[in-house]
Amino acid sequence: MASGTALIYDEAMTRHKLLWNDPICDIEVPERLSASYEQLQCYHLVERCIPVPAREGSEEEILLVHSSEHLEAAKSTQAMNEEELKRISGNYDSFFFHPNTYHCARLAVGAALQLVDSVMSGKVCNGMALVRPPGHHSQRNAANGFCLFNNVAIAAEYAKLKYGLQRILIVDWDVHHGQGTQYIFEEDPSVLYFSWHRYEHQEFWPSLKESDYDAVGLGKGKGFNINLPWNKVGMGNSDYLAAFFHVLLPMAFEFDPELVLVSSGYDSGIGDPEGQMNATPEVFAHLTHFLMQLAHGKLCVILEGGYHLRSLSESVCMTVRTLLRDPLPQVTGEMAPCLSAIESIQNVRAAHKPYWKWLTYEDTSFLHNLSTKSDLVKTADTNPCRDDEAKITDSNGTDRIERFLELHMKNIVFPVPPIKTATTELKASADPNTFPVHLHVVKEMDKNELEALVSDFHADLVEANKTLLFLGSTLTILDKILKKEVCSGIAESPAASASVAVALRHSLHFGFQRVLCIFVGDTDIMPSTEDGKILIIHVCKKEQTGKSSSKHYVVLNWKEDADGNDFFSAVLGFILPVAYSYQPNLIIIAVGANRSLGISGISLIIGLLQGLAESRILAVIEDTDINLMQSVAKALAGASMPHFGVHVPPTQEKVNQIKKLRNQLQQDWKMLQCSVNDGI
Ligand SMILES: CC(O)(O)CCCCCNCCCN
Ligand SMILES: [Zn+2]
């Protein structure tokens, strides 16, 4: 399993610059690249990456996407004087040429291809390329929106050709619609393109009808183009996370890509003059983390936009830190998407319903059927999504943004230690090569220390001291996590329920305010959760007699489908949104007897929840299936997810159960909201 993160940066790409006065293009400055790189150095992140040199993309590689006319026109600009450069620039919407532009654009293409080669060859697991000029607006025959060659589109075509890939996901989180990329792949089912973008009912540039949610792709490509328009500014962290939980991730997991490319624009971040959004840098760590659970972690992040230098730089650093598998900082802000975001999410889900199995089973309907979309345009009020925060991003607020970000980044807690997983004597740990990840083996707590710990406030939970012994490994590991000596840990236990009960009480006694416990399998002990300090999600086979779900105790009846993993939609559409709404300080994943989930379902939960609680996860495993232990160890150690095997959609009755729970709990856990029809 490959490891390591590539970083591609070449100072030569700073030599493309605007030579005349143009208020539209003057934000695309060389300092975007140098400031980002300097911030990476400042956080000592450059030295932790594997440096990979840029190279010039060849003409042949550029012709994978662009016409020879476009290539020749671009090439001819190298010898032009300023007046000629200005004239040819006028042929395009929002583009400027400099004598170095052509060379820089070839380096940007080559950097993207170098990144693809580094990942596909296994030299690294993932990486980031800091490039300019950007690419996602450029089209077969035209430069557009600061873009000359479509770096990411060429990278996708290159990967298909050289590595025979058949499923590539492009995630475009830049705040502008990458119409160039859409045009290039709209009939191509081998490339799934997802873009969210400021739209304001077609008011915002490039103001295209085909940027709306109903542009789902053409011909064989239908269903493989996903547009999520933001019809208001001021979108924040919870809106972006909801878009991933309820739109992108279910489709991405069903698509099961072999490689993930990110058109990584940070103008969707707070303070950006173009985006006017409110999402803060740490949200990009979470978005990156989710994408690392796909394609065995093969992820290439390629820079697009981002025009507020400090916001851009901090977001770039958050991305690289996550690629390096550092634990994620807690995401800030109220976990509740705004109404406009939910409307857009609902509409894009409805538009894609005919093309995706997981959606076919979900209950989704258009907010307004297409004929009345014009009403939406009339009713569009231009107020930002959240008035209060939006003030931070008013135009003359640049210095206020600096101050805001200065303070915000100071308050961000970077978890220590970097992901380290502890375990006590696991049967299998004797054989290191069965545990492909480094496990930090800790010695058991000694008996009298244990007795002291247990007797003073767990006595009621522990019968005769026969149960005392197995408590040891759970409490030993938990203590290491609570004391931040390790990030996560695995404890074996012959009675998961009892271990979990003691671990929960111990954590609260230690002072944790919110502990999320996901219990898979049958259990009888369920500690009281009424004070909200514990949230239990109990995944079990059979109906729990007399236990109906409530805000802090959710019962999920799930018997996994025999021939495949149908648990995706429960994790992505339910467990993840509830967990992010709750914002736990500690997560306990317990696997009891007769677990009703496959190993991949359990690994998926761990992999996706690892962004929470600063990656503090305690796994308590009763089922000593060696494959389970191995998968849990890999997931906890941040190794990328195992292959999930065939993806089967859940049965209608399972979906109905999720829908019922979502309706019951979406007022409490607002990240569950994905449609306005349910009378929010
Ligand atoms: C890579 C990127 O998506 O960030 C480029 C954005 C270009 C914005 C052009 N604005 C033109 C406004 C015309 N009234
Ligand atoms: Zn942009």
Side-chain angles (χ1 to χ4, degrees):
M1 211 263 308
S3 67
T5 295
L7 179 64
I8 303 185
Y9 172 78
D10 188 325
E11 181 271 337
M13 281 183 268
T14 63
R15 297 185 198 133
H16 155 68
K17 59 193 300 179
L18 182 58
L19 293 173
W20 50 82
N21 183 23
D22 174 346
I24 284 175
C25 296
D26 62 6
I27 53 175
E28 208 288 280
V29 294
E31 290 73 20
R32 295 179 54 237
L33 235 43
S34 46
S36 300
Y37 190 72
E38 282 150 23
Q39 192 73 51
L40 285 166
Q41 287 175 309
C42 166
Y43 287 140
H44 305 294
L45 293 171
V46 172
E47 64 230 37
R48 292 174 57 194
C49 293
I50 295 166
V52 169
R55 66 169 170 86
E56 276 202 329
S58 70
E59 296 195 9
E60 184 191 11
E61 286 159 346
I62 290 167
L63 292 171
L64 286 173
V65 162
H66 296 285
S67 66
S68 49
E69 292 76 15
H70 181 59
L71 175 60
E72 292 311 314
K75 195 190 301 180
S76 71
T77 62
Q78 295 178 95
M80 288 184 178
N81 63 36
E82 184 171 325
E83 186 206 340
E84 290 162 329
L85 289 169
K86 196 166 181 180
R87 182 163 12 88
I88 190 169
S89 301
N91 294 346
Y92 304 108
D93 174 0
S94 311
F95 189 75
F96 62 94
F97 278 101
H98 175 282
N100 293 339
T101 302
Y102 176 68
H103 175 59
C104 292
R106 287 188 58 177
L107 284 174
V109 168
L113 304 186
Q114 287 283 86
L115 185 52
V116 169
D117 283 342
S118 305
V119 167
M120 290 309 297
S121 67
K123 178 174 180 229
V124 298
C125 176
N126 57 38
M128 178 160 206
L130 293 173
V131 300
R132 63 185 285 275
H136 69 152
H137 297 300
S138 61
Q139 298 145 48
R140 178 170 167 70
N141 228 349
N144 178 286
F146 312 161
C147 305
L148 180 57
F149 300 135
N150 197 319
N151 310 313
V152 169
I154 295 168
E157 292 294 7
Y158 175 82
K160 283 160 65 180
L161 193 65
K162 184 168 181 182
Y163 299 99
L165 300 188
Q166 291 162 349
R167 294 186 312 284
I168 296 177
L169 168 64
I170 298 177
V171 176
D172 187 334
W173 61 46
D174 186 289
V175 86
H176 298 91
H177 179 219
Q179 86 281 35
T181 310
Q182 170 167 312
Y183 298 150
I184 291 160
F185 295 114
E186 61 191 339
E187 300 188 48
D188 183 346
S190 70
V191 176
L192 175 59
Y193 176 63
F194 168 89
S195 170
W196 63 39
H197 32 272
R198 182 177 170 184
Y199 190 58
E200 291 172 300
H201 302 291
Q202 208 175 330
E203 295 292 308
F204 188 70
W205 186 92
S207 304
L208 300 168
K209 169 110 190 45
E210 61 268 29
S211 301
D212 210 349
Y213 59 79
D214 51 355
V216 296
L218 302 172
K220 290 192 307 302
K222 277 193 165 190
F224 294 93
N225 190 80
I226 310 163
N227 282 336
L228 178 52
W230 297 129
N231 288 318
K232 286 196 166 72
V233 291
M235 293 298 171
N237 297 341
S238 54
D239 306 306
Y240 289 4
L241 291 168
F244 266 55
F245 298 158
H246 301 300
V247 180
L248 174 61
L249 292 178
M251 289 185 193
F253 275 91
E254 181 170 339
F255 182 63
D256 187 23
E258 300 158 289
L259 174 66
V260 180
L261 306 178
V262 182
S263 262
S264 187
Y266 295 100
D267 42 15
S268 43
I270 191 162
D272 191 278
E274 283 286 309
Q276 297 292 316
M277 298 297 174
N278 279 318
T280 45
E282 76 278 4
V283 78
F284 292 104
H286 290 261
L287 303 183
T288 302
H289 174 78
F290 295 135
L291 298 182
M292 287 165 71
Q293 312 310 313
L294 294 157
H296 299 272
K298 290 200 291 297
L299 177 59
C300 300
V301 181
I302 296 153
L303 183 67
E304 295 280 1
Y307 306 99
H308 185 283
L309 296 188
R310 187 63 194 278
S311 184
L312 163 65
S313 307
E314 294 293 355
S315 301
V316 163
C317 291
M318 283 289 179
T319 305
V320 171
R321 211 186 274 277
T322 305
L323 292 173
L324 286 164
R325 297 193 193 292
D326 278 5
L328 280 60
Q330 195 125 10
V331 65
T332 56
E334 190 203 359
M335 285 293 115
C338 71
L339 178 60
S340 175
I342 295 169
E343 287 177 356
S344 297
I345 287 169
Q346 176 176 349
N347 279 329
V348 70
R349 282 163 58 98
H352 276 270
K353 186 168 177 134
Y355 310 105
W356 296 89
K357 287 190 211 129
W358 70 280
L359 264 177
T360 317
Y361 288 80
E362 292 280 307
D363 165 65
T364 57
S365 54
F366 281 109
L367 177 66
H368 295 264
N369 57 53
L370 293 177
S371 63
T372 61
K373 210 150 64 111
S374 53
D375 309 351
L376 273 177
V377 179
K378 276 206 289 293
T379 57
D381 56 344
T382 51
N383 299 343
C385 210
R386 288 176 186 74
D387 310 350
D388 52 337
E389 291 167 2
K391 280 196 228 10
I392 290 174
T393 61
D394 65 39
S395 58
N396 68 3
T398 313
D399 53 343
R400 284 169 63 198
I401 301 296
E402 290 297 334
R403 273 207 313 279
F404 167 81
L405 278 166
E406 197 71 44
L407 188 66
H408 181 82
M409 297 317 292
K410 269 205 188 62
N411 293 339
I412 292 277
V413 173
F414 286 106
V416 287
I419 289 189
K420 208 159 86 180
T421 303
T423 178
T424 53
E425 284 319 303
L426 284 181
K427 296 186 191 62
S429 63
D431 171 5
N433 58 30
T434 61
F435 268 79
V437 291
H438 171 67
L439 291 177
H440 181 74
V441 181
V442 296
K443 74 172 184 49
E444 299 265 355
M445 201 180 273
D446 66 38
K447 202 160 170 342
N448 38 31
E449 190 186 348
L450 192 63
E451 244 150 23
L453 193 72
V454 170
S455 55
D456 68 1
F457 59 99
H458 296 313
D460 58 324
L461 285 173
V462 179
E463 307 120 35
N465 72 358
K466 73 169 169 38
T467 55
L468 206 53
L469 295 185
F470 67 75
L471 276 181
S473 95
T474 300
L475 287 176
T476 306
I477 303 289
L478 180 58
D479 245 22
K480 298 268 173 205
I481 293 173
L482 299 179
K483 290 174 185 156
K484 301 196 178 184
E485 290 169 23
V486 292
C487 229
S488 56
I490 309 175
E492 288 175 275
S493 161
S497 304
S499 295
V500 165
V502 170
L504 284 169
R505 188 179 300 184
H506 193 60
S507 312
L508 296 191
H509 182 78
F510 190 82
F512 277 101
Q513 293 305 310
R514 290 187 305 282
V515 183
L516 168 64
C517 172
I518 297 182
F519 201 106
V520 180
D522 295 339
T523 176
D524 40 15
I525 297 188
M526 276 300 146
S528 66
T529 62
E530 80 289 337
D531 56 0
K533 289 183 177 168
I534 295 174
L535 166 58
I536 291 177
I537 298 177
H538 183 194
V539 183
C540 51
K541 254 180 218 143
K542 54 187 186 303
E543 287 283 332
Q544 298 295 303
T545 46
K547 280 184 182 168
S548 65
S549 291
S550 65
K551 178 176 179 179
H552 288 102
Y553 178 86
V554 181
V555 180
L556 205 48
N557 291 128
W558 206 279
K559 171 87 189 69
E560 224 168 22
D561 196 295
D563 59 3
N565 186 307
D566 61 3
F567 198 51
F568 283 86
S569 55
V571 179
L572 297 169
F574 186 79
I575 293 180
L576 209 50
V578 169
Y580 266 80
S581 305
Y582 186 55
Q583 287 294 313
N585 315 109
L586 172 73
I587 296 172
I588 298 178
I589 305 266
V591 182
N594 343 313
R595 59 181 161 85
S596 62
L597 281 187
I599 289 179
S600 55
I602 292 168
S603 302
L604 179 66
I605 293 174
I606 294 175
L608 286 168
L609 290 188
Q610 215 161 25
L612 287 170
E614 298 175 359
S615 297
R616 275 191 295 273
I617 300 182
L618 168 67
V620 179
I621 313 284
E622 181 173 318
D623 175 337
T624 53
D625 170 350
I626 174 63
N627 299 322
L628 174 65
M629 301 298 269
Q630 208 175 32
S631 296
V632 168
K634 277 172 79 174
L636 284 176
S640 66
M641 307 310 293
H643 199 67
F644 298 118
V646 71
H647 170 75
V648 297
T651 58
Q652 190 57 52
E653 135 256 345
K654 279 178 180 166
V655 173
N656 291 343
Q657 181 192 180
I658 298 281
K659 179 142 182 51
K660 189 165 77 61
L661 282 173
R662 189 182 280 153
N663 285 343
Q664 179 190 348
L665 297 168
Q666 68 179 344
Q667 292 312 327
D668 295 315
W669 308 123
K670 294 186 169 28
M671 292 307 287
L672 285 169
Q673 291 169 12
C674 59
S675 72
V676 294
N677 290 350
D678 312 343
I680 284 176

